[in-house]
Amino acid sequence: MSNSQKYTPNTSATSHIPVRQNDFNHQAHDALNDGQLRTNFRRAMDGLIAKRTAQFPDSDDLEARRLHAEAIRQRCLNKLPQLLEQLESNLKANGIKVHWAETAEQACEIIYGISECHQAKSMIKGKSMVSEEIELNHFMAERGIDCLESDMGEYIVQLAEEKPSHIIMPAIHKNAVEVAKLFEDKIPDHSYTEDIDELIQTGRRELRKAFFNADIGLSGVNFMVAETGTLCLVENEGNGRMSTHVPPVHVAVTGIEKVVEFLSDVPPLYHLLTRSATGQPITTYFNMISGPRGENEKDGPKEVHLVLLDNGRSQAYADAQMRKTLQCIRCGACMNHCPVYSRIGGHAYKTVYPGPIGKIISPHMMGLEQTKDLPSASTLCGACGDVCPVKIPIPSLLQRLRIELKRVVSSNDPQQVNMKGAGAGYNAIEARVWKIFSWIYSSRYRYKMLSWMASRFGKLLPNIGPVAVWSKVRSKPVPANKTLHQLMEQRSRQASGQSNGSDK
Amino acid sequence: MNARQSILDKLYQTRDLADFIPTKAEAPKLPTWNDQQKLEKFTQMISAVNGEVHSCEKNNWPHKLLEIAQQNKLGNLLHAPQTEWGAVLAAYFQATEHQLELLEYPQSIDEEGFKEKLFFSIDAAFTGSIGAIAETGTLIVWPNQHEPRLMSLVPPVHFCILEKEKIWNTFAELIENAGWQKGLPNNALLISGPSKTADIEQTLAYGAHGPSQLIVLVV
Ligand code: SF4
């Protein structure tokens, strides 16, 4: 396909996720000044919030379901290694081949290896964020294999040579006019239209040819069931079914945390997933794959492979608090409700997973050096934690990551978690300032002295450094003439004076 | 050390170090309906996402199917005469005058020319279902050797027959009671409406990659 040849991700092969250090502030700034982008996001987020709300009319029922889902995810995580082994043996018994990858490179190598075995020239992809995480398209393109995205949103993003800006709706940053122009530019024999049905029909036509011709189909996985050895895929379009049923080989790639123990764990999670994500009671398709084409079967892939990816997940797993990050079922509700995400969009984060979930998972995948700005790219308003269907305490995880970022890393502290890039945000001056701060605040006299001085001389605070930054768009903070303590003392003196007076 | 061992080692070694006690919670109470309500709920939910439901009698559904096919100007229909419902359909079509070409899936998708035909010139397919879910308006379809996976996916129109006594309240109830734990087929599907997407400006469009029409014949 001509369009797939045009697609060359602008990333280097070594750092799989494109990150320019300390760039978040600039990216956010640019995004905030992009009126079209902000309109597109605001409209989309408002729509998603309303649709989700409409699905949960009964808040008690919602809370009960969230507690149940949280319990399921935590139970399964607690048995993660056992469940992975059980899953592997059941999948094998069902005829599905299982591969393990510690890093993104390993996962790419495995998938490339499978393609080579089949002399594959082209790969059709159902939606998979993990394949974005490992930068698979780029890896395969360098080795002469075309990867074409078949989810409509991913297809649009790929045509535009961009990255997804949302984990559920990859092309949410674009409006119909932008898509119309893109299709006119990139798709032969397609004439300009802003009619969404026509645009989708064009996508359908183009992709049908690709499904028909593809040598390999790749997909993600939403839930893996250990008990039965089943891969579950959630989707609306049918591209996931096409990618997994049409080509002779199907490769699924997913993170190790996606395993659940029982088949009965699936319905409660699925119930919350679609409602939280897009406000749908259910998706059009729930595709449960437990084996390749059987002897009597007339279609379906002859081989099914599963690639299990770690890529930092075991690091999060090692810590009791951060392990909760892995409860995520990737519904995207946290980003839809995030005041930061909804203003800057997904690209400003420069991580594969944007928004609140991205801020807590990316540091494990990429290390804290590369994601320094993320833990503080939050107002800690708590909306993400409130809507998360599996009750991940995102705000407190962000606070924890802030601590990890600033920690003094010492090699002889056995309690210290082994977090990649811990201490990357350590700043000697800042640490000194906080030391002084705590020295003053831990003594009543020093504290009194400071507040006395602040109330007398605070007005003289020079407009430099952080004060200058703060006062650029706000008025300069001026400490009050009297401290709260002084005011309270004064009040109680007055009150007791009055009551004494009335006694007489 | 290979990746598998290394990942498992990391997980096994850390799991006891972390004092992580999973929370416990009961499953919330799930809705239940009587048979009539279940059918109504199913119909309401699947209709809300453009599924077309026709209630038929056990003896007249092939007639209904033909009628719809004619209205939609379908030229051909893929069916499986080896199945119970497929056989009824085949018999009806044999005894009736019509323009619709009845097709069968060959021994394999790889048979010369069939895949191309399936992708680009088959208008519709008819399959059975093994039941439905009321709460979400969902058909349960287990592809099998006679009605393989692509039948309910590739042709633009999918006719599906549903017996009204086989409607479950919820997906959870189905999993609790249907014994799927004992073994699933290589592919099992829940289908709730025709294929759709909202990937452009959140605007719903039907017929993304799968069927653009899903027609349910309830008997
Ligand atoms: S963190 Fe929670 S809300 Fe965010 S994507 Fe994951 S499950 Fe959804």
Side-chain angles (χ1 to χ4, degrees), chain A residues 86-132:
Chain A
Q86 188 193 356
L87 174 78
E88 183 186 42
S89 81
N90 283 333
L91 284 171
K92 275 186 179 163
N94 291 347
I96 295 177
K97 301 199 170 75
V98 181
H99 311 261
W100 303 69
E102 280 188 276
T103 61
E105 280 87 352
Q106 277 178 16
C108 287
E109 289 288 357
I110 291 166
I111 298 169
Y112 176 64
I114 298 168
S115 319
E116 252 194 331
C117 273
H118 295 273
Q119 285 144 18
K121 288 269 153 290
S122 63
M123 174 182 275
I124 189 87
K125 293 178 67 200
K127 192 168 158 30
S128 152
M129 284 309 294
V130 172
S131 79
E132 297 283 343

Side-chain angles (χ1 to χ4, degrees), chain B residues 165-187:
Chain B
E165 346 31 280
K166 294 189 179 165
I167 306 179
W168 302 87
N169 288 294
T170 57
F171 186 23
E173 184 201 42
L174 163 80
I175 294 296
E176 212 55 58
N177 298 295
W180 286 21
Q181 291 82 352
K182 287 186 228 111
L184 279 161
N186 289 334
N187 186 219

Side-chain angles (χ1 to χ4, degrees), chain A residues 328-334 357 388-390 392 394:
Chain A
C328 178
I329 54 171
R330 300 281 191 274
C331 72
C334 54
I357 178 60
C388 177
V390 288
I392 301 177
I394 301 173

Side-chain angles (χ1 to χ4, degrees), chain A residues 167-168 273 276-277 324-325 327-335 356-358 360 384-385 387-392 394:
Chain A
I167 60 170
I168 303 285
L273 173 61
S276 304
K324 293 182 181 162
T325 310
Q327 284 165 220
C328 178
I329 54 171
R330 300 281 191 274
C331 72
C334 54
M335 49 196 82
I357 178 60
I360 59 172
C384 47
V387 295
C388 177
V390 288
K391 294 181 84 78
I392 301 177
I394 301 173

